[in-house]
Amino acid sequence: MLTTPPLAISLAGLSGGTLPAALRDRIRWVTRSSRWIVLDGTDPDTRARNLDRSARRDLAATLRREELRLAGIDLFLPERHLAEPAHVDRASAALGNALELASDLASLVGDGSRPVVTFVSPEAPLVGVIDELCGRAERVGATLADGAVDGPRGGSAVGASLDPSALLLGGRDPAVRLSELGARCVQARLADAGSSGPVYVGSGSGRLDAGSYAAAVVTSGGALASAPVVLDGRGLRDADKAVTAGTAAWAGAFGDLAG
């Protein structure tokens, strides 16, 4: 019997609808649809450098109170910042701090999960910067995942985060790409795209074959066997619709497989 992998709701890029302004209310909003959350590393309320030890304890306490598990942190910085000497120190510091924050929160929440920090690398990052970040991830007990369409850059310690929307916009099949990545894929995301940009999963105007993608995820093994799929609402205007439609489409895809 196929078990539907849970969806983690990423707060990165979500806007519109009834999405609350206050962080605690946004966290509570997530619980309407999921028991897993991915924090937005660019949000001032969850930016690593803004949170001292006390603030981290308070955030972890909120997650525990709402019975939410932390899947990780999305930190989508401008890709070029890891390729430009003028910006690389600040960008790599932000990613390193996010890895430490994710590890701290996972430890404070106490659910035993290994959090994933997701970013997108440029085509030619400065030599050594990603390897250095991988070393930092290993030291703190987190996982670094690269969402670059052509696959993770850097050493083998960098995991892959698979973004179906970006692949579809490039004319590629997410299910096929997932099979190609194999065990290197540590995070599968749920998103869709039409002819000109992101669309709501399950809208009918996208190109994602949710059934074949769901089958690829559930049979992939490796890190994905125990990881939630991350619902990605970047580029969409209504957070409620993104989550409601995506959740229904994901459950429906597994219903079709079971049938």
Side-chain angles (χ1 to χ4, degrees), residues 133-215:
L133 287 167
C134 286
R136 193 163 179 179
E138 188 60 33
R139 288 193 297 274
V140 302
T143 298
L144 186 68
D146 186 353
V149 173
D150 293 330
R153 299 177 174 104
S156 60
V158 188
S161 172
L162 190 141
D163 178 358
S165 179
L167 287 164
L168 290 166
L169 288 170
R172 302 171 72 176
D173 185 329
V176 172
R177 183 59 179 150
L178 182 55
S179 297
E180 292 170 352
L181 288 167
R184 194 161 189 190
C185 188
V186 298
Q187 183 187 79
R189 302 178 77 90
L190 181 61
D192 201 355
S195 58
S196 59
V199 298
Y200 298 97
V201 177
S203 67
S205 60
R207 291 179 282 172
L208 179 68
D209 183 335
S212 65
Y213 184 56

Side-chain angles (χ1 to χ4, degrees), residues 64 89 220 245:
R64 287 197 307 270
D89 287 346
S220 62

